[in-house]
Amino acid sequence: MKEDELQIKKAFSHLNQDLLSEIITLGVIKEFPPDTTLLKEGQYVKVIPVVLTGLIKVFSSFEDKELLLYYIRPNESCIMSFAASLKNDPSTVIAKTEEASKVLLLPSDRVAEWTQKFSDLNTLFFQQYNLRYAELLDTINHLLFNKMDTRVYAFLEKRIALTGHNPIKISHREIASELGTAREVVSRVLKKLEMEGKLKQLPSGIHIP
């Protein structure tokens, strides 16, 4: 418990001490294995996640296609969950652990109260809004203006930077799903990038020199 408190204090070191005490008292820390769905589309948000360690992927889904929206890194939260909880609307996104993750779960009803009581919490979420807005604009720009080989390469670079793994173990189908395209397209693009010397496809995963 002492270690958990230290992690919470580190994540929220800039917050009001009274608010920090309430977060420590009412927040629940849970550990989740990789590929665990934390939030489904259409589900009402009862807790707001804050990642302490690990990585969470947030994406939207249509039929058999997925579109990656953003990743939640350590000391970050899910702004889409926050927005849905404030309006008591069902979630329009899916959140899933990308790797083993330790997550602080804050009761959404109390978070709504805290935003009224503690102005620094609003500042925290406004910062999250700005971060996600910038990431969403980047995603839209990739969709509108970049060719698929640029998008695939940028996606792999970002995943390597986020996870710290190079080579990175990921299937062609997973890449296609996150970029909203077909597996066959990704396979052709990866072969092209490999022939250009921009990456290597190894038994241990995809390596970018």
Side-chain angles (χ1 to χ4, degrees):
M1 182 63 184
K2 191 66 175 177
E3 181 183 346
D4 290 343
E5 283 191 23
L6 289 174
Q7 280 192 294
I8 294 173
K9 288 179 179 178
K10 182 179 179 181
F12 296 105
S13 59
H14 54 291
L15 294 184
N16 178 286
Q17 288 302 306
D18 291 336
L19 173 57
L20 187 56
S21 295
E22 291 198 37
I23 288 174
I24 291 172
T25 301
L26 298 173
V28 175
I29 292 180
K30 289 191 176 181
E31 296 187 20
F32 299 95
D35 204 33
T36 301
T37 300
L38 304 181
L39 181 66
K40 298 178 181 178
E41 191 173 1
Q43 177 182 336
Y44 283 89
V45 178
K46 301 301 182 185
V47 292
I48 309 296
V50 178
V51 176
L52 298 178
T53 61
L55 193 66
I56 293 177
K57 176 176 69 175
V58 178
F59 59 97
S60 60
S61 178
F62 179 73
E63 295 179 348
D64 61 340
K65 295 288 192 303
E66 294 178 1
L67 178 62
L68 174 67
L69 298 176
Y70 53 83
Y71 289 102
I72 310 174
R73 295 164 285 236
N75 299 341
E76 294 180 355
S77 184
C78 180
I79 201 63
M80 301 291 282
S81 299
F82 174 69
S85 70
L86 288 183
K87 296 186 292 183
N88 197 31
D89 286 341
S91 172
T92 58
V93 298
I94 303 164
K96 183 181 291 186
T97 54
E98 188 70 13
E99 56 188 49
S101 302
K102 181 184 284 189
V103 183
L104 171 64
L105 303 174
L106 302 175
S108 58
D109 55 341
R110 297 309 295 268
V111 171
E113 291 178 19
W114 293 337
T115 59
Q116 301 294 320
K117 188 177 178 182
F118 302 102
S119 61
D120 45 351
L121 186 63
N122 286 306
T123 301
L124 172 68
F125 280 109
F126 277 133
Q127 290 171 344
Q128 294 289 305
Y129 266 117
N130 288 335
L131 177 63
R132 301 311 172 206
Y133 182 68
E135 289 181 341
L136 288 173
L137 282 181
D138 186 56
T139 298
I140 292 169
N141 285 333
H142 275 297
L143 285 170
L144 293 178
F145 303 117
N146 289 336
K147 294 181 179 179
M148 186 55 68
D149 56 348
T150 302
R151 290 179 61 202
V152 169
Y153 190 80
F155 168 81
L156 292 171
E157 280 191 315
K158 185 174 183 178
R159 280 290 291 271
I160 288 170
L162 285 168
T163 63
H165 301 307
N166 188 17
I168 186 168
K169 195 73 174 177
I170 187 169
S171 70
H172 294 191
R173 187 176 299 280
E174 286 178 87
I175 298 171
S177 178
E178 297 205 12
L179 294 180
T181 188
R183 180 188 58 78
E184 293 80 7
V185 172
V186 169
S187 296
R188 287 198 300 270
V189 168
L190 289 174
K191 187 174 182 179
K192 176 177 179 287
L193 291 171
E194 189 169 27
M195 290 177 65
E196 292 172 352
K198 294 180 178 178
L199 58 81
K200 293 181 180 179
Q201 298 188 77
L202 308 170
S204 55
I206 298 173
H207 178 266
I208 293 181

